Amino acid sequence: MKLLHTADLHIGQILYQNYSRTDEHEHFFKQLSRWCQDYQPDALVVSGDVFDIQQPGAAVKEFFNRTFVTIRNSCPNMHIVVTAGNHDSASRLQADAEIWKCINVHIIGIAPTMDITAADDGWQERFIVRIPSGYIVAFPFMTGNRREMMQSVLDYVAAENTGNQPVVTMGHLALRSADTTGHSSEIGRLATQSVEEMGSGFDYLALGHIHRPQTLGYPIDDEYVEESTYPSGTARYAGSALHVSCDEKYPHTVSLVELPEHGADITVKRLRINELRHFHELPEDGHPAESAEEALTVLQRFAEERKSGYFRLRILYSTNLPADFDQQVYRILEPYGDEVRYNPKTIWVGEPAETEVEKPVFEVAELQAMDDPMLFIERTAEQYSGLSMEELREVFKEVTDEVRRMEEEK
Ligand SMILES: [Mn+2]
């Protein structure tokens, strides 16, 4: 089985509340389409976060439709498997699945739940995409411990797979040992799940959610390595399609995965994505600007020379910026249209360090098992000054009683 693996497209993303990235996405999809044409893979898998927001607008949906039809036409025998990520609305994505199936685009939005597994004997079928060269088990984003459900689907495939065909699983979540550079601290502060939670029996686990390309248990893709060989049972994050911040200095790639048969070694070839706009930190010599004038001069020079790209400024903490500093920045950028793009989140160098590294308040599993909201509030109470737990408990009881009464009346 030959597979192209990508994830975290975030189509429709607007950066810094200001800049549409449609042309950057177009640039990416042109490359992806070309790779589909050149390598003729059996399948293209997109492991979640197709759209950036739950309810993308009409233009964004139109862009998705047009793009995926083009990609499909670049390699008409290829199957495309798309799963929902945490950014996607599972049900909205799933809504068009029947139509897409007509051209071998398989969209799996809704995750297995107790309702689904209880109501339907062959529920596993919903998450299995059979292609001539093997199996793709497509799990969208899900919360909670779903190990048993996943194992059930993998066992279902194993029972059928007498021809020893390769088995690929898809997932969208943060797995332990994943490097989260470039992500908001929310992920870093949550204790993540281990790869064992994804069940066993797959040859390749095609992951999404973490934007940095990496194979779990191996050195991170810091440098561009063209090809690696891994044993069966390998889990890999393809990495996002586009850079999303200045912190993402590593190369972004699409993974071309070859799986000869079930249980055999896998080769991963990294196809380097060319970015339309790069991210920069100014000044580029690594020193912070020591005055507003200096920052603006550096920026002016950057805009004149590069004429394109995202940037954020690095400024010495003790510098006083005039109140209209951002307006001055935008004035300098005006002649460049939307080509030179400003991230107003300045890096303050020499800022007094936070006194203590924050520890996770909860383990994920603990949070999942928590069925009393009051427990959550108690544990986080110190974040809300002047909170009377007693009063809160009373109010909470009042509300739950009222809800129960309404339920009974119904
Ligand atoms: Mn995600």
Side-chain angles (χ1 to χ4, degrees), residues 8 49 86-87 172 209:
D8 300 272
D49 283 354
N86 55 314
H87 277 246
H172 188 94
H209 191 54

Side-chain angles (χ1 to χ4, degrees), residues 8 10 47-49 85-87 141 172-173 183 187 208-211:
D8 300 272
H10 293 276
S47 303
D49 283 354
N86 55 314
H87 277 246
F141 171 71
H172 188 94
L173 75 171
H183 266 272
I187 289 174
H209 191 54
I210 306 292
H211 290 173

Side-chain angles (χ1 to χ4, degrees), residues 16-245:
Y16 319 133
Q17 283 144 24
N18 205 6
Y19 305 112
S20 154
R21 307 193 77 186
T22 302
D23 56 351
E24 293 173 81
H25 274 114
E26 261 162 12
H27 188 67
F28 166 76
F29 285 118
K30 246 181 232 164
Q31 297 169 71
L32 185 62
S33 191
R34 166 48 64 93
W35 288 325
C36 291
Q37 208 168 1
D38 289 351
Y39 293 106
Q40 295 286 307
D42 302 310
L44 164 68
V45 301
V46 182
S47 303
D49 283 354
V50 179
F51 295 110
D52 195 54
I53 55 170
Q54 303 245 335
Q55 299 197 33
V60 174
K61 287 187 77 178
E62 193 272 338
F63 176 81
F64 169 83
N65 292 349
R66 178 161 38 90
T67 300
F68 274 78
V69 167
T70 305
I71 290 174
R72 184 263 173 194
N73 289 344
S74 69
C75 184
N77 293 322
M78 170 178 79
H79 287 254
I80 300 178
V81 189
V82 177
T83 54
N86 55 314
H87 277 246
D88 300 303
S89 156
S91 50
R92 276 167 194 276
L93 205 62
Q94 184 93 44
D96 295 331
E98 283 301 317
I99 302 171
W100 282 104
K101 213 183 270 174
C102 301
I103 55 167
N104 286 337
V105 178
H106 313 268
I107 297 183
I108 293 94
I110 297 168
T113 57
M114 292 306 229
D115 293 352
I116 291 176
T117 57
D120 177 2
D121 265 348
W123 66 269
Q124 292 91 342
E125 291 284 344
R126 297 185 192 208
F127 304 95
I128 300 169
V129 177
R130 293 177 182 83
I131 64 172
S133 57
Y135 297 87
I136 297 168
V137 176
F139 293 123
F141 171 71
M142 24 184 152
T143 50
N145 184 355
R146 304 290 170 89
R147 183 182 178 153
E148 270 170 45
M149 291 180 192
M150 293 195 222
Q151 194 56 57
S152 165
V153 182
L154 286 162
D155 290 346
Y156 190 97
V157 167
E160 184 183 305
N161 189 16
T162 47
N164 235 20
Q165 287 193 313
V167 179
V168 171
T169 306
M170 295 166 73
H172 188 94
L173 75 171
L175 286 181
R176 206 171 293 146
S177 105
D179 183 289
T180 54
T181 308
H183 266 272
S184 56
S185 58
E186 160 202 359
I187 289 174
R189 288 189 64 199
L190 284 174
T192 48
Q193 290 182 286
S194 78
V195 67
E196 285 76 34
E197 298 303 313
M198 299 296 292
S200 60
F202 57 80
D203 293 295
Y204 180 77
L205 173 56
L207 292 167
H209 191 54
I210 306 292
H211 290 173
R212 186 169 201 171
Q214 59 196 289
T215 304
L216 289 195
Y218 292 84
I220 289 150
D221 293 12
D222 248 339
E223 302 289 330
Y224 176 65
V225 182
E226 204 185 302
E227 202 173 294
S228 313
T229 302
Y230 301 108
S232 164
T234 289
R236 179 171 167 81
Y237 285 97
S240 59
L242 304 184
H243 285 56
V244 294
S245 81

Side-chain angles (χ1 to χ4, degrees), residues 270-290:
R270 296 165 181 81
L271 308 174
R272 179 122 196 205
I273 301 164
N274 172 273
E275 314 136 44
L276 190 62
R277 284 188 196 88
H278 298 271
F279 285 80
H280 306 268
E281 278 173 22
L282 306 179
E284 287 185 289
D285 65 6
H287 291 88
E290 292 179 23

